[in-house]
């Protein structure tokens, strides 16, 4: 008898669209052979299932616009080559013409971006700002989320709501008051500390909501027995809860990181020293109202995205369990 | 029972297995010193010595190198002050200036285009007149029209540095003789135009007022009459739009949906024989394209030459500078003949000190001399405060007219009425602010009443509060740091916005005391009580897209369709990804990608893909044998462009949330259902959906709030096209605040947004709570 998870792909294939002709016989062959040929058969069966078709289609849609960015970055040029369908060409050739590929591959955009301005330095600045934001944002949100999750106190509901409200006021209109507070009152213009403060607070609501939900799912019994053994609240928080919540912390940390990593307008307004600019500010040098160097911008964007993608890959296994369990009782 | 933290060994500083501590130390030395620097910088405040003169500019590339070389030379030449330059990217420059200068911060002097001068000078606190610091000799360096561009209300506010105007750029392989009149231009262009193969005789960003100015000025006086009064619907301006419409709609010599990127690409691929553009484009012309620059031709209808608008980059003085004389000395240095020659030769700029064009190297440069010749007929952009109100609405009107959605005359009349009303609003606030300075007594009552109420509440509840504090001290201590931050950086801006929304603050009276700007509920009344969705009468009757309720309707449709589609698609993909499948890991990474890449660039790529003629979407439709769609012409199609982009951007977040939710559903539930013979659909409905609900509801609330305020996608992709019909509340608020300078009105909009979302959140949590109770 087949195991349940072994049989389900085949059933889904039968429920989905019916392949015809040679494909059908191939699939029939694959299905028949599946239990014996093992891996190869499973792969074939996977490839002809509706799930695979759907995922492939979605991936193509996701990748297509990104391909434009990549092709522009590697083209060595500043503006996109326009698509123009060859006339009297076959359907295949016409479709091929729609795929954005540079006429020749060329790294000159990347070298120009990296050498003509202190791009690596800006990347380093961004890294410092984003990591500090992550650290500060996480320590603020972990402790707040712990309190929201484990204590029952007056103002708890209202406090949670307050965090949500802060996401509702349009950010573009907070610019001037933030400038007044950070630069004029706190005197933190032209220092990363000002940026880090603002970014951590911006990321706080999402982090608190998600972490609070995750803490809610952690069993309370461990804490109770620890309390009986005389552990303090602080010890429980740092020694039990935080290690257990690592997946959620990884995910909210990633969110805080991205908040700081991609922000442009505040960074450009607060910083009065070019060597202190963060990388999104540096990127915008390539775009202006008159002439825009889109090739440089694309190359820079790819460079900027690499650290984030690496983080995504590193945290991938946390990503799924971290957010969901966090949201279960959020 | 305590679980030891697993990363303890790392924290205790034990070396990682297989690494040699000593060599690691050496390798880390230089990063360590960098780190030290970083720590020092982290806490560094303003690094301004007493004798530093700060100079902000927006140059980059060769022009920047030339500019900084000049500043360096100036620093070498004298000992009184040290000039420090700061390059600011274009996108943040205006915001940076308008955040810093009115608050006593910012540079001593700055380089910026002159067309905002009127607004700055009328608002005050942003630029300072330099009449007393400049002698007559210095003024004679510049042609009179450039000095006029830098003057407002009888005062000189800065010295002209460089100028930029458009001219005609010709592909000399395709066009041998420069056209002398617009009739010749059209005839020549027609020979090179073939819409079906994507070839055009002429290409330029004709929907942008800066470019259309050349036509307007050749018929008459531009947007203002000779006395400086707004005259958008003058006979001349109507004629200019009629001529443009003819070129686009009957001669077919111009491409659709022009943008500077499109114009450059067309020229580089020899698909545009002639383009109208400025010196900024020269660096992007491909090496194998032979071109020459010539002044724009004569307008055959009016007999006058096309007069492009010139933007003058001026050196402006901040009113807060502690070294005004030194700053003006620097201006004098930067505009000297020697400096101008360097800016022209090495920076490729067109210096306002025209003696630079006598330098043999410049005089021998046909391109530079062509732009120099164009300056004789060019007109500096009017620097009236009203000018800043015109750009965006005029662009909308031009777009409407060239697409045939409106007649030139009716549209300009409508525009004139609309901008006059905006202008009147601004003037009213200025008039009011001058009138009364004394704080009305009743305003004192507000803080008094607040204090009394607080004291009363304290008396009544303080024992309870104290007990609550004692009981929950731990909880409050855990929350305190986060709450402190929230109060400072979220609550304060919120209260600021709330206060602002009860005033009639505009750019003109920003500096008056609060009570003199107090307007009560006026803003809210004019937002909420305007129930008339139509404007104009008879044939000219059309929907008023500026009406709050129209924008609200669009915003609700926008939010609902986005969230429903994103959740639906993410659910579908998550179901497909849930069980093992070949390439699962890859699919998971790919499907999350849109989240990782800055949405600024992907939004712009999507906009490019929706271009009606050259976009990949329409090309794909044609391959499939379907008719192309004019994506930005109708409300529905334009809405669709934003929707597709935003769903593309927001599915990854939802996907991650739902994937996790699916994993937390116990597998034995499905097995039990299968035993009882439940089909897949039934399993999905009775197990998957209900158990996903607790995951989905918070995610949906957050994503509704985010989508409701999704500024970037609307602003970058459809930009509210057509004519602001697709603006959502937040982009409308932005336009009111930053394009019309009615800060208070924009703040009132924001408060309304806040209230709507707050109401939604309460409703949603209540509904989900009742659902839970019912379950």
């Amino acid at each position: 008898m087949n195991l349940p998870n072994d049989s389900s792909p085949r059933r889904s294939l039968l429920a989905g669209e019916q392949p015809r002709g040679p494909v059908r016989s191939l699939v029939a062959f694959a299905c028949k052979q599946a239990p014996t040929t093992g891996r190869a058969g499973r792969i074939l069966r996977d490839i002809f299932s509706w799930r695979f078709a759907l995922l492939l289609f979605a991936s193509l849609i996701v990748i297509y616009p990104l391909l434009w960015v990549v092709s522009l970055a590697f083209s060595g040029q500043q503006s996109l080559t326009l698509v123009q369908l060859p006339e009297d060409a076959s359907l295949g050739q016409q479709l091929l013409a729609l795929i954005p590929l540079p006429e020749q591959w060329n790294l000159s955009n990347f070298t120009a971006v990296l050498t003509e301005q202190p791009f690596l330095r800006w990347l380093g600045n961004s890294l410092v700002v984003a990591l500090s934001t992550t650290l500060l944002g996480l320590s603020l949100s972990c402790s707040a989320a712990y309190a929201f999750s484990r204590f029952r106190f007056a103002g708890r509901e209202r406090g949670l709501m307050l965090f949500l409200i802060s996401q509702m006021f349009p950010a573009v209109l907070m610019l001037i008051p933030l400038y007044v507070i950070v630069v004029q009152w706190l005197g933190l213009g032209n220092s990363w500390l000002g940026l880090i403060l603002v970014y951590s607070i911006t990321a706080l609501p999402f982090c608190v909501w998600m972490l609070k939900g995750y803490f809610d799912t952690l069993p309370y019994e461990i804490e109770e027995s620890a309390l009986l053994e005389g552990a303090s609240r602080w010890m429980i928080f740092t020694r039990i809860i935080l290690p257990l919540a690592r997946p959620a912390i990884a995910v909210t940390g990633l969110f805080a990181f991205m908040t700081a990593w991609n922000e442009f307008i505040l960074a450009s307004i607060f910083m009065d020293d070019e060597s202190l600019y963060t990388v999104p500010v540096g990127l915008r040098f390539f775009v202006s109202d008159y002439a825009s160097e889109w090739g440089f911008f694309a190359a820079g964007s790819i460079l900027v995205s690499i650290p984030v993608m690496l983080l995504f890959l590193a945290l991938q296994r946390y990503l799924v369990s971290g957010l969901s369990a966090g949201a279960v009782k959020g | 029972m305590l679980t030891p933290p697993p990363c303890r060994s790392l924290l205790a500083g034990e070396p990682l297995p297989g690494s040699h501590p000593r060599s690691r130390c050496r390798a880390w030395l230089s990063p360590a010193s960098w780190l030290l620097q970083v720590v020092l910088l982290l806490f560094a405040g303003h690094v301004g010595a007493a004798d530093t003169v700060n100079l902000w500019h927006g140059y980059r590339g060769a022009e920047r190198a030339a500019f900084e070389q000049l500043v360096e030379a100036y620093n070498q030449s004298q000992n009184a002050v040290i000039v420090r330059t700061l390059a600011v990217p274009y996108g943040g420059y205006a915001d940076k200036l308008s955040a810093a200068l009115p608050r006593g911060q910012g540079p001593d002097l700055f380089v910026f285009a002159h067309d905002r001068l009127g607004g700055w000078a009328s608002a005050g606190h942003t630029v300072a007149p330099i009449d007393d610091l400049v002698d007559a000799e210095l003024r004679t360096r510049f042609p009179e029209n450039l000095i006029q561009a830098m003057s407002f209300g009888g005062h000189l506010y800065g010295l002209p540095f460089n100028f930029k105007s458009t001219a005609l750029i010709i592909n000399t392989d395709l066009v041998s003789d420069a056209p002398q009149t617009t009739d010749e231009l059209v005839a020549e262009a027609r020979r090179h135009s073939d819409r079906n193969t994507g070839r055009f005789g002429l290409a330029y960003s004709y929907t942008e007022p800066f470019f259309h100015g050349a036509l307007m000025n050749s018929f008459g006086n531009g947007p203002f009459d000779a006395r400086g009064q707004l005259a958008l619907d003058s006979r001349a301006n109507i004629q200019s739009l009629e001529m443009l419409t003819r070129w686009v709609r009957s001669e077919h010599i111009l491409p659709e949906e022009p943008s500077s990127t499109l114009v450059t690409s067309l020229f580089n691929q020899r698909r545009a024989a002639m383009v109208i553009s400025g010196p900024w484009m020269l660096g992007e012309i491909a090496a194998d394209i032979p071109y020459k620059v010539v002044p724009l031709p004569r307008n055959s209808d009016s007999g006058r030459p096309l007069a492009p608008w010139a933007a003058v980059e001026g050196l402006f003085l901040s009113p807060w500078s502690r070294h005004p004389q030194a700053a003006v000395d620097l201006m004098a240095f930067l505009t000297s003949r020697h400096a101008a020659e360097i800016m022209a030769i090495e920076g490729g700029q067109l210096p306002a000190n025209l003696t630079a064009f006598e330098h043999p190297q410049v005089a021998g440069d046909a391109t530079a001399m062509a732009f120099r010749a164009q300056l004789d007929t060019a007109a500096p952009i009017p620097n009236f405060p009203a000018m800043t109100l015109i750009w965006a609405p005029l662009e909308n009107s031009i777009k409407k007219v060239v697409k045939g959605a409106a007649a030139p005359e009716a549209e300009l009349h409508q525009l004139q009425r609309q901008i006059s009303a905006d202008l009147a609003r601004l003037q009213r606030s200025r008039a009011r602010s001058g009138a009364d300075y004394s704080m009305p007594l009743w305003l004192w009552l507000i803080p008094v009443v607040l204090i009394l109420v607080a004291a009363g509440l304290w008396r009544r509840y303080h024992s309870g509060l104290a007990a609550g504090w004692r009981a929950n001290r731990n909880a409050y201590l855990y929350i305190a740091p986060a709450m402190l931050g929230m109060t400072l950086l979220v609550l304060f801006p919120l209260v600021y916005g709330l206060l602002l929304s009860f005033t009639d603050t505009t750019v003109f009276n920003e500096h008056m005391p609060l009570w003199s700007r107090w307007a009560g509920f006026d803003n809210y009344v004019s937002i909420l009580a305007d129930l008339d969705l139509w404007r104009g009468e008879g044939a000219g009757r059309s929907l008023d897209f500026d009406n709050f309720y129209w924008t609200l309707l669009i915003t609700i449709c926008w939010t609902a369709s986005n969230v429903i589609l994103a959740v639906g698609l993410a659910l579908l993909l998550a179901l497909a990804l849930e069980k093992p499948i070949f390439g699962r890991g890859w699919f998971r990474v790919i499907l999350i990608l849109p989240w990782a890449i800055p949405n600024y660039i992907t939004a712009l790529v999507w906009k490019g893909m929706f271009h009606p003629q050259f976009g990949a979407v329409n090309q794909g439709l044609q391959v499939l044998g379907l008719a192309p769609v004019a994506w930005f012409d109708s409300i529905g199609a334009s809405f669709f462009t934003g929707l597709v982009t935003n769903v593309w951007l927001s599915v990854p977040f939802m996907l991650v949330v739902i994937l996790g939710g699916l994993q937390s559903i116990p597998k034995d539930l499905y097995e039990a259902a299968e035993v009882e013979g439940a089909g897949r659909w039934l399993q999905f409905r009775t197990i998957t959906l209900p158990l996903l609900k607790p995951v989905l509801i918070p995610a949906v609330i957050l994503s509704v709030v985010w989508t409701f305020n999704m500024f970037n996608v609307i602003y970058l992709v459809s930009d509210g096209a057509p004519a602001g019909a697709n603006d959502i509340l937040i982009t409308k608020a932005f336009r009111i605040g930053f394009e019309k300078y009615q800060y208070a009105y924009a703040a009132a909009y924001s408060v309304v947004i806040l209230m709507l979302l707050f109401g939604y959140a309460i409703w949603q949590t209540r509904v989900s709570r009742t659902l839970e109770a019912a379950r």
Side-chain angles (χ1 to χ4, degrees):
Chain A
M1 202 192 130
N2 280 331
L3 293 167
N5 68 341
D6 218 345
S7 67
S8 55
R10 193 188 309 168
R11 179 143 33 83
S12 65
L13 172 80
L14 296 176
E17 53 186 293
Q18 294 287 336
R20 285 160 201 276
V23 175
R24 171 187 284 206
S25 52
L26 194 67
V27 174
F29 172 79
C31 291
K32 211 183 296 166
Q33 297 296 311
T36 48
T37 49
R39 200 179 137 79
R42 239 187 351 255
I43 290 175
L44 261 182
R45 211 175 41 201
D46 276 354
I47 287 178
F48 288 105
S49 67
W50 70 268
R51 294 197 293 142
F52 194 83
L54 177 75
L55 289 172
L56 199 67
F57 182 67
S59 302
L60 287 181
I61 290 183
V62 162
I63 284 187
Y64 188 73
L66 300 179
L67 220 52
W68 280 97
V69 181
V70 173
S71 119
L72 180 55
F74 284 98
S75 69
Q77 292 174 340
Q78 292 314 321
S79 60
L80 284 168
T81 324
L82 302 170
V83 188
Q84 186 67 34
L85 298 176
E87 283 172 83
D88 310 322
S90 70
L91 190 72
Q93 277 170 312
Q94 288 196 326
L95 279 177
L96 210 64
L98 282 178
I99 297 174
L101 284 176
E103 282 165 21
Q104 56 199 35
W105 294 79
N106 189 325
L107 284 176
S108 65
N109 280 343
F110 286 91
T111 47
V113 165
L114 287 172
T115 53
E116 282 171 23
Q117 43 267 311
F119 204 79
L120 284 178
R121 184 180 182 112
W122 291 337
L123 266 177
N125 293 347
S126 264
L127 216 55
V128 173
V129 171
L131 287 177
S132 319
T133 301
T134 313
L135 213 66
L136 182 64
L138 277 182
S139 34
L140 291 181
S141 51
C142 280
S143 66
Y146 179 68
F148 280 124
S149 166
R150 286 298 192 261
F151 299 101
R152 294 288 169 272
F153 53 91
R156 178 171 164 275
E157 299 267 306
R158 250 164 271 155
L160 268 175
M161 205 41 144
L162 178 76
F163 281 102
L164 191 63
I165 287 176
S166 72
Q167 300 281 293
M168 299 173 177
F169 201 66
V172 273
L173 294 149
M174 308 257 276
L175 218 74
I176 297 296
L178 279 179
Y179 186 88
V180 170
I181 299 169
V182 175
V183 178
Q184 286 192 288
W185 293 2
L186 301 178
L188 290 177
N190 203 27
S191 102
W192 290 337
L193 199 59
L195 281 186
I196 293 166
L197 272 179
V198 176
Y199 293 159
S200 330
I201 303 298
T202 314
L204 206 54
F206 176 87
C207 296
V208 168
W209 267 57
M210 286 300 160
L211 282 171
K212 185 242 166 205
Y214 197 89
F215 291 160
D216 283 350
T217 64
L218 298 178
Y220 195 63
E221 291 77 25
I222 310 175
E223 277 175 87
E224 272 178 343
S225 55
L227 272 177
L228 286 179
E229 285 183 27
S232 71
R233 274 281 176 195
W234 181 250
M235 248 167 109
I236 293 171
F237 174 55
T238 53
R239 296 286 177 87
I240 300 178
I241 298 292
L242 290 187
L244 280 179
R246 260 184 310 161
I249 293 177
V251 174
T252 46
L254 183 69
F255 182 85
F257 184 89
M258 300 248 298
T259 307
W261 188 255
N262 286 335
E263 205 280 337
F264 156 71
I265 194 82
L266 286 176
S268 74
I269 287 178
F270 285 0
M271 291 295 132
D272 289 345
D273 193 334
E274 245 171 285
S275 59
L276 295 182
Y277 279 166
T278 55
V279 76
V281 182
L283 258 186
R284 293 294 178 100
F285 271 116
F286 304 128
V287 188
S288 85
D289 224 18
Y290 292 116
S292 299
E293 291 143 317
W294 290 113
F296 291 164
F297 191 76
S301 299
I302 288 177
L303 291 176
V304 168
S305 310
I306 286 173
V308 181
M309 282 196 263
L310 288 180
L311 268 179
F312 264 94
L313 280 181
L315 299 177
Q316 223 219 52
R317 70 201 164 94
Y318 289 139
L319 215 56
V320 169
S321 57
L323 264 187
S324 64
V328 164
K329 290 190 184 170
Chain B
M1 190 192 77
L2 284 173
T3 4
C7 52
R8 190 185 187 154
S9 62
L10 270 177
L11 287 177
E14 285 169 28
L16 290 164
S19 72
H20 302 285
R22 193 162 296 164
S23 66
R24 278 169 58 85
C25 266
R26 195 162 301 155
W28 278 93
L29 247 176
S30 69
S33 69
W34 181 75
L35 213 68
L36 188 74
Q37 214 183 334
V38 160
V39 170
L40 287 176
L41 281 172
L42 214 54
F43 297 97
H46 277 281
V47 206
D51 51 355
T52 308
V53 168
N54 286 305
L55 168 56
W56 289 0
H57 64 91
Y59 292 124
R60 56 165 264 99
E63 53 195 42
R64 174 178 175 178
F67 183 70
E68 286 181 349
Q69 179 194 337
L70 286 174
V71 170
E72 188 52 41
Y74 185 72
N75 280 337
Q76 300 290 327
S77 72
Q78 45 79 46
N79 294 321
V81 292
I82 297 169
V83 182
R84 287 177 70 238
T85 58
L86 175 71
V88 184
Y90 181 86
Y93 197 8
D95 287 332
K96 192 172 168 77
L97 285 174
S98 53
L101 284 169
R103 285 161 195 89
Q105 312 273 337
D108 293 277
L109 69 168
F110 57 96
V111 183
F112 205 85
H114 78 284
D115 59 294
R116 287 188 187 225
L117 173 60
W120 286 338
S122 329
H125 305 263
T126 311
V127 281
I130 56 168
D131 304 276
D132 301 339
L133 304 166
V134 173
D135 53 29
E137 186 270 327
L138 198 52
R139 284 169 189 252
T140 58
R141 275 184 186 173
F142 313 100
E144 185 51 30
N145 60 346
L146 296 190
I147 283 285
Q148 278 314 310
M150 302 297 293
S151 309
F152 184 80
H155 292 289
L156 180 67
Y157 282 91
L159 293 184
F161 187 34
N162 297 306
F163 65 89
K164 288 184 160 101
S165 84
T166 55
L168 190 64
I169 305 177
I170 295 176
N171 182 330
T172 47
D173 273 356
L174 301 172
V175 180
S176 45
D177 295 319
Q180 299 300 315
T181 64
T182 49
D183 284 349
E184 283 178 41
L185 179 83
V186 171
E188 182 72 46
R190 228 175 358 208
R191 294 203 302 118
H192 298 281
S193 298
D194 178 3
R195 245 191 124 265
N196 295 327
T197 56
R199 288 176 191 286
F200 298 95
L202 182 66
Y204 71 104
S205 308
Y206 54 85
T207 54
E208 282 177 34
F210 177 70
F211 287 84
H212 186 62
L215 280 181
M216 288 169 81
N217 294 334
S218 70
F219 277 106
N221 212 28
F224 300 93
D225 65 15
R227 286 168 301 126
Q229 297 298 310
L230 191 70
L232 281 166
D233 53 353
S234 68
R235 189 66 225 136
N237 290 338
I238 295 170
Q239 282 173 318
S240 78
L241 265 188
E242 283 167 351
M243 182 178 245
L244 179 65
T245 317
R246 210 160 56 232
W247 289 1
V248 181
R249 300 187 65 79
S250 31
E251 311 281 1
H252 297 296
I253 55 172
L254 287 163
E256 292 168 65
E257 292 280 333
S259 67
S260 57
T261 324
L262 179 75
V263 170
T264 313
S265 305
L266 285 173
F267 194 67
N268 279 342
Q269 293 181 29
R270 299 166 199 268
R271 292 196 207 177
M274 299 176 275
V275 300
I276 297 176
S277 189
W280 53 85
M281 182 183 153
L282 301 177
E284 290 171 26
I285 298 181
D288 57 338
I289 303 286
Y291 70 89
K292 76 175 176 192
V293 181
V294 292
L296 293 172
R298 181 176 300 281
N299 184 335
S300 310
D301 288 13
S302 71
R304 289 159 57 185
L306 294 190
W309 264 334
V312 186
E313 277 162 8
L315 288 150
F316 290 98
L317 175 68
S318 154
W320 314 99
S321 173
R322 275 176 296 168
H323 311 282
Q325 188 59 57
V328 172
D329 289 346
L330 175 61
M331 287 185 199
F333 177 85
L334 288 172
T335 54
S336 67
R337 177 170 180 167
H338 169 69
E341 284 168 359
I342 288 185
M343 278 315 279
I345 295 167
E346 288 179 28
Q349 293 285 298
L350 306 167
N353 184 342
L354 297 180
T355 54
F357 290 93
E358 291 161 19
H359 188 283
Q361 226 176 312
V362 187
D365 180 349
T367 301
M369 293 315 282
F371 280 114
R372 161 73 189 85
Q374 185 70 78
L375 181 66
D376 291 336
T377 53
I381 304 169
N383 64 12
F384 303 115
M387 192 63 208
T388 44
L389 299 182
I390 292 177
W391 295 117
L394 180 56
E395 182 168 356
N396 275 338
S397 294
I398 298 176
K399 278 183 182 162
K400 254 167 102 173
V401 169
V402 296
K403 281 172 182 164
E409 186 163 358
E411 182 58 31
L412 285 181
H413 283 316
Q414 161 64 37
L415 184 68
Q416 167 82 10
R417 267 201 304 277
Q418 180 197 334
I419 295 193
S420 304
D422 287 341
L423 210 58
R425 253 189 116 88
L426 287 180
Q427 296 297 354
R428 216 166 39 235
S429 80
R430 182 149 61 156
R432 254 181 76 132
S433 70
D436 95 67
Y437 273 83
S438 63
M439 185 166 161
L441 264 177
W442 61 266
L443 260 176
W444 282 108
L445 286 176
I446 291 178
V448 170
V449 167
L450 280 180
I451 291 170
L452 283 178
V453 168
L457 286 177
W458 175 250
R459 254 182 86 90
R460 188 143 193 295
Y461 293 110
H462 90 274
S463 55
L465 279 176
W469 164 252
R470 268 193 303 277
N472 301 309
R473 208 183 49 194
N474 248 330
Y476 292 129
L477 282 179
Y478 277 96
I479 292 178
M483 275 299 169
L484 190 72
M486 292 285 290
T487 317
L488 189 66
L489 293 176
V490 173
L491 216 55
F492 174 80
L494 239 152
V495 171
Y496 178 97
L498 195 66
L499 275 180
L500 196 64
S501 72
F502 288 106
T503 65
D504 64 353
T505 307
T506 64
V507 66
F508 289 132
N509 63 357
E510 219 186 331
H511 305 281
M512 311 311 289
L514 185 71
W515 55 88
S516 75
R517 295 184 258 143
W518 199 258
F521 285 91
D522 283 7
N523 291 321
Y524 293 99
V525 169
S526 67
I527 290 172
L528 299 173
D530 179 12
L531 293 171
D532 185 12
L533 270 172
W534 298 89
R535 68 175 166 203
E537 299 95 30
R541 206 163 112 106
S542 63
L543 274 171
D544 179 5
F545 297 134
D546 285 336
N547 186 289
F548 170 78
Y549 292 99
W550 171 264
T551 316
L552 180 65
L553 179 74
I554 289 287
T555 315
I556 291 174
C557 292
W558 161 258
T559 312
S561 52
N562 265 301
V563 174
I564 290 171
L565 267 179
V567 171
L569 287 176
L571 190 60
L572 205 62
L573 289 172
L575 287 175
L577 260 181
E578 186 202 359
K579 284 185 217 115
I581 191 169
F582 175 67
R584 187 181 180 208
W586 282 103
F587 284 130
R588 215 151 57 180
V589 172
I590 289 171
L591 292 177
I592 284 175
L593 274 183
W595 200 8
I597 292 172
N599 66 10
Y600 181 82
I601 188 161
T602 41
L604 284 173
V605 167
W606 274 102
K607 185 187 175 67
M609 285 174 38
F610 279 113
H611 187 278
Q613 183 159 20
F614 298 105
V617 176
N618 271 358
Q619 305 262 2
L621 286 179
Q622 276 165 302
V623 171
L624 298 177
L626 300 167
V629 178
W631 288 109
F632 299 109
D633 287 8
S634 70
I635 297 175
S638 175
F639 184 85
F640 182 77
T641 62
L643 182 65
V644 168
T645 311
N646 198 47
V647 168
W648 185 85
L649 282 168
S650 50
V651 160
F653 172 75
M654 276 295 167
L655 178 66
V656 167
V657 169
I658 294 176
L659 263 182
L662 287 179
Q663 283 192 345
S664 67
I665 299 175
K667 294 287 166 285
D668 44 353
L669 282 181
Y670 291 109
E671 281 160 29
E674 213 154 307
V675 168
E676 287 182 23
R680 296 207 113 211
W681 173 242
L682 196 65
Q683 286 180 28
F684 175 75
R685 251 187 34 207
T686 52
I687 302 174
T688 316
L689 264 191
L691 287 179
L692 267 184
K693 220 178 255 166
V695 181
L696 274 179
I697 283 173
V700 165
I701 292 183
L702 269 175
S703 114
V704 163
V705 171
W706 286 339
T707 315
F708 206 86
N709 283 340
M710 177 48 76
F711 178 81
N712 265 6
V713 171
I714 293 283
Y715 196 71
L716 294 175
V717 179
S718 71
D719 197 18
N726 269 314
D727 266 323
I728 56 173
L729 286 170
I730 182 156
T731 52
K732 193 121 283 174
F734 175 82
R735 286 182 211 287
I736 292 168
F738 292 84
E739 281 170 9
K740 298 184 179 175
Y741 304 96
Q742 298 169 3
Y743 301 147
Y745 202 70
Y749 246 84
S750 313
V751 174
V752 172
I753 293 176
L754 176 75
M755 291 302 164
L756 287 169
L757 284 174
F758 189 60
Y760 161 77
I762 288 184
W763 171 79
Q764 176 80 69
T765 38
R766 189 161 297 165
V767 165
S768 53
R769 212 173 288 158
T770 8
L771 282 180
E772 240 158 75
R775 198 144 48 97

